[in-house]
Amino acid sequence: MTAAVRRAVFLVFGAGLLALLLWSFGGLPDLGHYVGPYGDLVNALTIPERHSTDAVTTVNFDVRGFDTLGEDAILFAAVVGVAVLLRVLRDEHERPRPEEDASGRRIENTSSAIRLLGAGLVGPTIVLGLYIVAHGQLTPGGGFQGGVILATALLLVFLSDQYITLRRVGPMALIEAAEGVGVAGFALIGVAGLIWGSSYMENFLPLGTTGTLLSAGTIPLNSVAVGVAVTGGFAFMLSEFLEQTLVVRRE
Amino acid sequence: MSVLQVAALLLVAVVGTATALTREPLRQAILSSLYGLVLGILFFVFQAPDVALSQTAVGAVALPLMILLALAKVRGGAR
């Protein structure tokens, strides 16, 4: 297929797609005019039934918690896939570059401004991530968002040139375990609903006072479990990429 | 629709087109990070803060970072 034919085919189908899109946009309800019972029901029931002030988190970790379990499993599969793809191959060898291996010596081409900023932001990033995980049922965010933020703390460590040091001190085993522990924890909280409640993922814990940190029953527990899983998963993927880039050399 | 929402939509259209038209992978990775951020702002001004947080964390940081690290590995291997 020549370039001209390809462009002609694209233009024809592109125009068709545009026409269909514009047609379908015409049928959308106006902004803020939601049609359909489910959203209104969730909005009306979130506070009285679950004592939670964030309807989205309530849907994710309670009303539709089973879907989140599936998403958790998808993330787990993706992380395992990355680990398999990025494993150290037979003709590769784990060996830090000499300048990274020598302790206390700095790589010259990272400016001290970036290093200082990176190191200074590690603490605030971790606090922000923990805050978002812990306040899942109160404010926007939850285990997933907070977990990704927590995992990016690892990136800041890398930016501030401390990755090799971190690797030597070694929370890597912890990171590898966190993904599995988080996913298993989420599934087991569901089983607990089966034991102490009447169905899988039933919110069996006392709901507490609306607006406090320990309210909404199992929702904060689920948020923390997902937070641990996502932190572990993303940090593991990042560290695998960093290992491949910084440490593994082809002999 | 408010001015802010129209501005966010236009910004997404411009940055999205720029990302698609960029051919150099390194620049495209940086632009895709900007695109993730702009998309996060769009979700935020359309009153979806939960999605905006996810979008910003994944689209503006995690995904471009993995592309960058993969690029670094590919280029390091070619050297």
Side-chain angles (χ1 to χ4, degrees):
Chain A
M1 201 184 276
T2 64
V5 177
R6 219 178 326 177
R7 186 172 301 129
V9 170
F10 167 75
L11 285 177
V12 169
F13 284 95
L17 180 67
L18 186 68
L20 284 174
L21 272 178
L22 288 177
W23 184 31
S24 62
F25 285 165
L28 283 178
D30 284 341
L31 189 67
H33 295 268
Y34 176 77
V35 281
Y38 303 111
D40 295 331
L41 269 177
V42 166
N43 269 342
L45 293 178
T46 298
I47 291 180
E49 294 274 319
R50 293 290 183 264
H51 295 199
S52 155
T53 50
D54 186 7
V56 178
T57 306
T58 308
V59 171
N60 282 342
F61 294 143
D62 189 329
V63 183
R64 274 295 185 185
F66 195 66
D67 291 22
T68 307
L69 184 66
E71 284 164 22
D72 239 12
I74 291 170
L75 180 70
F76 187 75
V79 169
V80 171
V82 167
V84 170
L85 278 175
L86 295 182
R87 70 198 186 280
V88 178
L89 294 174
R90 210 169 294 148
D91 61 338
E92 289 175 334
H93 196 62
E94 278 202 18
R95 182 163 52 81
R97 273 186 245 150
E99 71 267 24
E100 288 160 350
D101 206 21
S103 59
R105 202 182 299 172
R106 292 166 183 157
I107 307 169
E108 284 165 48
N109 52 14
T110 308
S111 80
S112 48
I114 291 182
R115 284 212 320 272
L116 191 68
L117 194 66
L121 280 174
V122 171
T125 304
I126 290 177
V127 171
L128 177 69
L130 289 175
Y131 176 91
I132 290 181
V133 172
H135 290 71
Q137 79 280 23
L138 301 173
T139 54
F144 180 77
Q145 293 91 335
V148 179
I149 292 172
L150 281 173
T152 54
L154 194 72
L155 160 71
L156 289 168
V157 172
F158 160 67
L159 274 182
S160 52
D161 267 355
Q162 299 299 316
Y163 181 71
I164 299 293
T165 318
L166 181 76
R167 195 170 175 268
R168 202 173 291 134
V169 185
M172 289 305 151
L174 208 65
I175 287 174
E176 284 172 29
E179 166 76 14
V181 169
V183 175
F186 192 78
L188 286 178
I189 294 169
V191 174
L194 204 57
I195 297 171
W196 284 287
S198 56
S199 62
Y200 189 69
M201 284 210 165
E202 183 176 319
N203 198 334
F204 64 94
L205 287 177
L207 294 174
T209 316
T210 308
T212 54
L213 201 56
L214 289 176
S215 59
T218 54
I219 294 176
L221 280 184
N222 282 333
S223 179
V224 168
V226 169
V228 170
V230 171
T231 308
F234 271 82
F236 184 67
M237 277 199 266
L238 281 183
S239 70
E240 284 287 313
F241 272 100
L242 288 173
E243 298 273 298
Q244 272 290 333
T245 312
L246 295 179
V247 184
V248 177
R249 294 281 169 273
R250 201 176 279 261
E251 289 294 290
Chain B
M1 230 191 286
S2 72
V3 182
L4 212 57
Q5 289 168 336
V6 175
L9 278 171
L10 285 177
L11 206 59
V12 167
V14 170
V15 180
T17 312
T19 311
L21 292 179
T22 309
R23 306 312 302 177
E24 213 271 307
L26 184 62
R27 274 174 203 205
Q28 201 170 27
I30 303 291
L31 262 176
S32 79
S33 167
L34 184 66
Y35 179 64
L37 185 66
V38 169
L39 211 53
I41 294 171
L42 177 83
F43 293 151
F44 184 70
V45 298
F46 277 91
Q47 298 177 24
D50 286 271
V51 191
L53 261 176
S54 310
Q55 172 58 35
T56 313
V58 174
V61 183
L63 178 71
L65 179 71
M66 279 172 198
I67 299 174
L68 283 182
L69 286 170
L71 275 179
K73 176 66 180 178
V74 168
R75 292 186 179 174
R79 192 166 25 183

